[in-house]
Amino acid sequence: MSEEMVPGSQFKSLIEKDMQDCYLRYSMSVIVARALPDARDGFKPVHRRVMFSMHKLGVVPNKGTVKSARIVGDVIGKYHPHGDSAVYETLARMAQDFSLRYPLVFGQGNFGSIDGDSPAAMRYTEAKMNNLGALMLEDLEKDTVDMGPNYDESLEEPLVLPSALPNMIVNGTSGIAVGMATNMAPHNLREVGAAIHALAENPDLPDENLMDYIKGPDFPTGAVVCGRSGIREAYLTGHGRVRVRARTEIETDSKGKPRIIVTEIPYMVNKAELCKKIADLVREKRVDGITDIRDESSRDIRIVIELRRDAVGEVVLNNLFKYTQLQTTFSIYNLALINNLPKVLTMKELLQVYIDHRLDVITRSTQFDLKKAEARLHIIEGLRIATQNIDEVVQIIKQSKTTEIAKASLQERFNLDEIQSQAIVDMRLGQLTGLNLEKLEAEYNELVATVADLKDILEKRERRIAIMLEKLDAVVAKYGDERRTTIGEAIDDSDEEDLIAEEEQVITLSREGYIRRLPIDTFKAQNRGGKGIIGAGLKDEDNVEQIFTASTHSYLLVFTNKGRAYWTKVYRLPEGTRNGKGRPIVNFVGLTDGETVQAIVPVRKFGGFFCLVFVTKKGIINKMDLKLFSRPRKAGVNAISLDEGDELVKVQLVGMTEEEYKASLNAGDVEDAADQSAETAEPAEGEAEGDDAENLEARPIPNDLLMIATRNGQAVTFPITCFRPMGRGTHGVRGIKLSEGDEVISLLWLKAGNKVLTITEKGYGKRSEPGTYRVTKRGSKGVKNLNVTDKIGSAVFVDSVADDYDLIITTKEGQVIRIKAADIRLTGRNAQGVKAISLREGDVVQDATALPSVEDIEHDSAEAKETFDKVEGVEVDDDSVDASASEGENPTPEGV
């Protein structure tokens, strides 16, 4: 029976649709009418209504203050039918000099403090608009903005304010809507005025150039912004993060003891809570060396942190930055309403919206003045006619029995209209004196000039721009001040690393993209019974995609299927628990839509003779110097250029000797040579199609061999030195010549003692000695790694493993089996293998993972540490990009 025939199903569907519609209307109401500001004046409706109500009440700068309760009551009763606490909090915040960079309200009484004290009750405080607040409503009566009905349509209220002050940019705002939020930073009025000047005079000014005028956020509480990369990102994209630190200094008191003096704190930080947090840290012994903390603030902030005589002030201060709100991150998200639609705006767009709004206000103000001047001029023209024919006018009026007859006679005699004739009959005899006649003529000439000037303004945009800038200059000259917030240098990661002990960690990445780190000792304790690196007790042990060790001070290079690289530090990852699964890796690297993590490469230092080798699904291979990735952008960099339809499969970090490194620089084979070798390379004896000889003898292998394995059972093995390194963002060369329908599934760095393990989609597996794979030219078809048949299916997993590795095999229908690698029989290179997992009918193997033992991973960790310790590191700055490694360039490693 269909759903429509089920009783009540249609009614249920209607209810669901109605609920969806209601929620959508509610969401849009919150977004448009409550939480997000209009980009033109920077006000939410409640702010605009408070200011307009004060304007209508006459609570203006040149008048006295009135009770806040009176203002709040007027706002609620006429314009904003919501709670009085929300309206009063809005009014109070606009009076707080620690909340707004340029307060708009003058408050008398207790309006709260930076210690988190709430304002006194509205019946005790008084308020009025200050001069800056009055600028927001300047020329409101000149029809400069659109008006709309209030909630009960009994009154009208402005839909936006004229805003002679660029409030949106200089004061910032914050708000949380449904599914979106805004958080805009305050700025310095002088800098914003200069930027508006530059953009108004040159609309094509590049976004980058605006930062020559606006240096960065200018918070009411001062403090120090660390670095410019977050500012740049916010200004160019509309969202970014800036790190803000308290302004501090370390001094020595009269007794020779060091102490830390805090004179400015980050924006929106509660000073009392900050002091309490520091005291709690000392009590819990998480921060050592502090003997006393005192808040000596009066009008200015002054927090004194006394230290022990043997304490190092810089170390204590770094710990306080780490664990308290002496250092915060301000997330900028410039989301505002444009034509009642939310949009993320760059700094240039913010400025342009304000410029366009002010030009529209000036245009409407000019039109209002023109209309008024033309109306007066029209009357004056009629009065001039009357004074020039005064005797006849008087005679007509005297002879007329009524005013209406007099007006009609005047209109007929002198070709006047109703307005002009009315003005004549209303004229008093005293206005006929010679002096008043001269004034009338002077007013006429003045009005003619005024009308001509106003029409010229409306015709010429440059004149309107000049008027806008002239008014803005007057505001800046009167109310502009010096910058409070200092833009300092970026904080080096070493500052944070100094607070973190260097220890070995095991990092795991799940198939769902969850990443975590655990101390290596966690797994040592679980190694009873030979359960491998994961061991008993880990909830998602059979869901691990990648596992490796790295120091807490190591870097992680994260590579995606689209060929992009991202950068993070190990200590930034969450320290997980045995039964936890970690956090999504997208929390640490900014993956875009459609990007999945293909490889994570731990790097202790960027230096030495290390290269990254990339292989793609279509068989393209590329090699790049590791130093090219020492300074990637936080938003990621293009590591390798991919053809349409191609994807990155794997990235392998390989180390070379100096001789091997130099040999690879001089490698002469390029794409054409590789293609030629692919066509001429012939299979060696015993490698013909279908040969399943059990050749188990292993030749000794060098430590510089790479292997590319394909889904249809081919493998090509070649030295790492046979092709030269390329620049970041380049395409690469052919690694293997693929047959039609085949694709690459793995890249191996062959290690002595390990075996080449292959798992097929029908559940078969085999191990082969790497020495049985003939070394061929890069770009050739290679040799047979697996004799693919309908019985065993295609290869799905190929890796280089030791005998004590654990192998986890996962099927498409969710079946999971865990076996020892040594349980899979050692066979010939092109054999079919043995049954590794029994599959249900219709099921196939989806993936597999090889997990090393504790001994193997400890050995690899010690070996990597020893190797990297010999390397002279490259200075790393994650806030910038090495110019020599820019996109699309192809430098040799010698030039890096």
Side-chain angles (χ1 to χ4, degrees):
M1 183 180 293
S2 66
E3 184 178 348
E4 288 75 15
M5 297 177 66
V6 177
S9 63
Q10 187 175 2
F11 178 73
K12 179 182 177 183
S13 177
L14 290 172
I15 290 292
E16 290 177 350
K17 184 178 185 303
D18 191 50
M19 290 180 67
Q20 291 173 353
D21 292 341
C22 290
Y23 187 73
L24 181 60
R25 287 197 296 270
Y26 164 75
S27 302
M28 289 306 300
S29 174
V30 171
I31 290 169
V32 175
R34 282 180 138 188
L36 298 185
D38 192 294
R40 295 169 290 179
D41 61 2
F43 275 157
K44 303 173 192 176
V46 64
H47 296 86
R48 193 175 300 117
R49 288 164 179 166
V50 168
M51 298 300 290
F52 181 63
S53 180
M54 295 173 76
H55 175 75
K56 297 299 284 185
L57 282 172
V59 189
V60 291
N62 59 350
K63 300 288 182 65
T65 57
V66 301
K67 287 291 185 182
S68 300
R70 182 180 174 189
I71 299 171
V72 172
D74 194 71
V75 173
I76 294 173
K78 293 181 178 178
Y79 310 110
H80 198 72
H82 299 282
D84 59 348
S85 59
V87 177
Y88 183 49
E89 287 171 8
T90 298
L91 174 67
R93 189 174 187 276
M94 289 195 289
Q96 295 171 346
D97 59 1
F98 54 87
S99 294
L100 265 63
R101 182 64 177 83
Y102 299 93
L104 304 174
V105 171
F106 171 76
Q108 190 165 294
N110 176 15
F111 276 85
S113 73
I114 199 170
D115 287 320
D117 301 320
S118 299
M122 68 180 80
R123 62 183 178 273
Y124 297 123
T125 62
E126 297 182 355
K128 67 175 181 178
M129 271 194 292
N130 62 18
N131 291 322
L132 284 170
L135 286 172
M136 297 298 297
L137 298 107
E138 186 178 74
D139 293 337
L140 182 64
E141 285 76 16
K142 291 187 175 183
D143 190 33
T144 51
V145 295
D146 292 334
M147 305 290 286
N150 67 340
Y151 67 92
D152 63 358
E153 298 186 355
S154 62
L155 297 169
E156 282 196 330
E157 60 176 321
L159 303 181
V160 67
L161 295 185
S163 189
L165 175 77
N167 177 63
M168 180 76 162
I169 308 171
V170 300
N171 275 329
T173 189
S174 63
I176 301 174
V178 179
M180 59 186 67
T182 183
N183 198 39
M184 305 180 69
H187 293 85
N188 185 269
L189 178 57
R190 290 180 179 174
E191 294 181 0
V192 172
I196 292 173
H197 250 283
L199 187 59
E201 293 169 355
N202 179 17
D204 297 325
L205 188 71
D207 293 55
E208 294 269 3
N209 291 17
L210 287 173
M211 285 180 279
D212 295 337
Y213 303 96
I214 303 179
K215 307 301 181 184
D218 189 21
F219 298 111
T221 54
V224 180
V225 171
C226 303
R228 290 174 169 80
S229 61
I231 298 172
R232 182 179 182 277
E233 183 180 4
Y235 288 0
L236 298 184
T237 66
H239 52 88
R241 293 159 57 89
V242 294
R243 194 178 299 182
V244 186
R245 277 187 168 182
R247 193 179 300 280
T248 60
E249 60 178 298
I250 300 172
E251 61 179 36
T252 304
D253 64 12
S254 58
K255 297 180 181 179
K257 293 173 59 179
R259 61 183 182 179
I260 299 170
I261 308 297
V262 181
T263 55
E264 295 176 1
I265 61 176
Y267 185 46
M268 300 304 291
V269 169
N270 185 314
K271 178 163 64 67
E273 288 295 325
L274 173 64
C275 294
K276 182 177 181 297
K277 177 64 175 178
I278 296 174
D280 290 341
L281 290 173
V282 175
R283 190 179 304 111
E284 296 166 4
K285 298 184 178 180
R286 293 178 63 190
V287 174
D288 190 31
I290 297 176
T291 60
D292 189 23
I293 175 172
R294 298 189 306 275
D295 185 1
E296 299 179 354
S297 306
S298 54
R299 293 185 63 86
D300 297 323
I301 292 176
R302 179 178 170 85
I303 303 173
V304 180
I305 303 171
E306 301 282 357
L307 306 180
R308 285 203 313 262
R309 193 180 301 276
D310 61 343
V312 180
E314 288 79 6
V315 173
V316 175
L317 185 57
N318 280 338
N319 277 285
L320 292 177
F321 284 143
K322 179 72 175 179
Y323 297 114
T324 73
Q325 286 190 304
L326 281 179
Q327 175 178 297
T328 63
T329 299
F330 188 90
S331 296
I332 300 173
Y333 202 78
N334 297 333
L335 181 68
L337 297 175
I338 301 287
N339 297 325
N340 279 341
L341 294 176
K343 181 181 179 182
V344 178
L345 302 168
T346 66
M347 178 55 71
K348 182 176 180 179
E349 289 172 333
L350 280 173
L351 294 169
Q352 192 61 57
V353 167
Y354 177 75
I355 291 171
D356 293 342
H357 173 56
R358 286 299 297 163
L359 290 177
D360 182 58
V361 167
I362 290 170
T363 299
R364 294 180 64 160
S365 174
T366 304
Q367 289 172 340
F368 180 87
D369 290 339
L370 176 61
K371 184 178 179 181
K372 185 177 178 181
E374 287 179 334
R376 179 60 181 166
L377 179 61
H378 184 63
I379 293 174
I380 295 298
E381 287 174 342
L383 294 178
R384 286 180 73 236
I385 293 173
T387 56
Q388 292 168 4
N389 302 274
I390 190 61
D391 294 336
E392 189 176 355
V393 169
V394 172
Q395 188 66 27
I396 291 174
I397 295 174
K398 285 175 62 178
Q399 292 177 354
S400 301
K401 292 182 179 182
T402 64
T403 303
E404 294 302 321
I405 294 174
K407 287 163 52 178
S409 299
L410 290 173
Q411 293 174 25
E412 183 180 354
R413 171 65 183 87
F414 299 108
N415 195 24
L416 303 175
D417 61 17
E418 174 69 21
I419 296 174
Q420 291 172 321
S421 61
Q422 183 66 50
I424 292 173
V425 298
D426 290 341
M427 188 170 57
R428 294 175 299 169
L429 290 175
Q431 294 178 275
L432 300 178
T433 64
L435 181 61
N436 283 318
L437 294 177
E438 291 178 4
K439 288 183 178 179
L440 190 65
E441 195 65 27
E443 184 180 1
Y444 172 79
N445 294 330
E446 183 181 348
L447 285 171
V448 170
T450 300
V451 167
D453 184 58
L454 293 173
K455 288 182 176 179
D456 188 62
I457 291 172
L458 293 174
E459 290 173 359
K460 296 179 179 177
R461 177 182 169 87
E462 59 270 18
R463 287 207 60 192
R464 298 196 295 277
I465 290 176
I467 292 170
M468 177 195 70
L469 296 179
E470 183 180 354
K471 291 186 176 183
L472 179 64
D473 289 344
V475 174
V476 171
K478 189 172 183 179
Y479 303 106
D481 57 1
E482 295 295 328
R483 164 176 281 278
R484 297 180 189 175
T485 300
T486 303
I487 310 298
E489 296 300 320
I491 301 171
D492 192 349
D493 278 343
S494 61
D495 294 344
E496 298 183 28
E497 290 180 3
D498 290 343
L499 310 177
I500 298 168
E502 183 170 7
E503 57 184 5
E504 288 301 301
Q505 304 278 294
V506 175
I507 289 87
T508 63
L509 178 69
S510 73
R511 291 188 176 92
E512 287 77 24
Y514 286 83
I515 193 167
R516 66 173 176 176
R517 63 182 174 96
L518 285 166
I520 197 170
D521 293 342
T522 304
F523 300 103
K524 289 182 182 178
Q526 298 169 10
N527 196 33
R528 299 169 186 170
K531 292 212 172 193
I533 179 63
I534 299 298
L538 290 186
K539 182 178 179 181
D540 296 311
E541 59 179 323
D542 293 335
N543 197 30
V544 175
E545 177 74 21
Q546 190 173 350
I547 184 168
F548 53 89
T549 61
S551 162
T552 49
H553 289 193
S554 292
Y555 310 94
L556 295 183
L557 292 178
V558 180
F559 298 92
T560 72
N561 59 325
K562 293 186 177 181
R564 292 188 63 77
Y566 299 87
W567 189 101
T568 189
K569 298 296 288 287
V570 170
Y571 65 77
R572 292 175 182 164
L573 301 179
E575 188 169 356
T577 61
R578 287 193 311 163
N579 296 323
K581 63 179 181 180
R583 291 175 60 191
I585 195 170
V586 294
N587 291 345
F588 308 98
V589 293
L591 302 181
T592 59
D593 290 342
E595 278 192 314
T596 57
V597 175
Q598 291 295 100
I600 300 179
V601 178
V603 178
R604 294 174 184 263
K605 292 180 183 177
F606 290 90
F609 304 108
F610 289 93
C611 284
L612 292 168
V613 181
F614 302 76
V615 70
T616 75
K617 186 182 292 186
K618 291 185 176 181
I620 299 299
I621 193 167
N622 203 335
K623 180 172 66 177
M624 303 175 198
D625 193 289
L626 179 61
K627 290 190 286 290
L628 288 172
F629 293 87
S630 63
R631 296 181 180 180
R633 299 182 181 93
K634 289 183 179 180
V637 295
N638 191 24
I640 181 173
S641 177
L642 299 174
D643 293 331
E644 185 175 356
D646 201 2
E647 288 187 354
L648 184 64
V649 171
K650 191 171 179 181
V651 182
Q652 177 69 53
L653 176 67
V654 295
M656 294 180 284
T657 65
E658 185 174 358
E659 292 72 21
E660 291 171 339
Y661 187 83
K662 291 180 177 178
S664 69
L665 294 179
N666 298 322
D669 64 333
V670 292
E671 186 77 31
D672 293 340
D675 291 342
Q676 185 179 1
S677 67
E679 299 296 336
T680 58
E682 296 293 338
E685 184 178 353
E687 294 172 356
E689 190 82 24
D691 182 18
D692 60 353
E694 295 290 319
N695 180 13
L696 303 181
E697 296 183 4
R699 301 187 304 272
I701 63 168
N703 64 354
D704 67 338
L705 291 182
L706 296 174
M707 175 186 289
I708 300 176
T710 76
R711 188 170 299 279
N712 288 347
Q714 290 297 112
V716 60
T717 306
F718 51 87
I720 182 66
T721 56
C722 75
F723 64 107
R724 64 183 179 85
M726 298 185 183
R728 199 185 71 212
T730 53
H731 178 271
V733 294
R734 179 176 291 176
I736 184 171
K737 187 175 179 62
L738 297 173
S739 303
E740 186 176 354
D742 201 3
E743 64 181 27
V744 172
I745 61 171
S746 186
L747 171 69
L748 292 70
W749 186 17
L750 299 180
K751 296 182 180 179
N754 284 11
K755 308 295 190 295
V756 177
L757 172 67
T758 304
I759 302 294
T760 74
E761 63 180 352
K762 295 293 182 66
Y764 282 77
K766 75 178 188 70
R767 289 185 303 139
S768 303
E769 290 286 354
T772 62
Y773 291 81
R774 180 170 60 90
V775 179
T776 64
K777 285 281 189 179
R778 173 194 61 77
S780 67
K781 293 181 179 179
V783 299
K784 193 177 289 294
N785 168 51
L786 177 71
N787 189 17
V788 175
T789 63
D790 291 340
K791 174 185 175 183
I792 68 172
S794 305
V796 295
F797 175 80
V798 182
D799 202 356
S800 174
V801 302
D803 293 344
D804 57 355
Y805 274 35
D806 279 3
L807 182 64
I808 296 175
I809 303 174
T810 307
T811 73
K812 189 174 182 180
E813 293 184 358
Q815 183 182 356
V816 179
I817 188 174
R818 181 174 183 151
I819 59 176
K820 284 288 185 183
D823 293 343
I824 297 180
R825 187 161 63 91
L826 192 67
T827 68
R829 169 179 49 74
N830 61 347
Q832 291 186 345
V834 296
K835 197 79 169 178
I837 180 174
S838 297
L839 300 174
R840 303 185 185 95
E841 185 177 353
D843 199 6
V844 294
V845 173
Q846 186 177 47
D847 200 0
T849 304
L851 305 180
S853 67
V854 171
E855 291 75 14
D856 286 319
I857 206 165
E858 282 188 311
H859 176 268
D860 291 344
S861 175
E863 187 178 65
K865 186 177 188 304
E866 181 181 357
T867 303
F868 275 100
D869 283 346
K870 300 175 183 177
V871 174
E872 183 178 349
V874 175
E875 183 179 352
V876 177
D877 177 10
D878 62 337
D879 286 334
S880 61
V881 180
D882 190 343
S884 64
S886 59
E887 303 290 336
E889 293 184 3
N890 186 17
T892 63
E894 297 167 303
V896 177

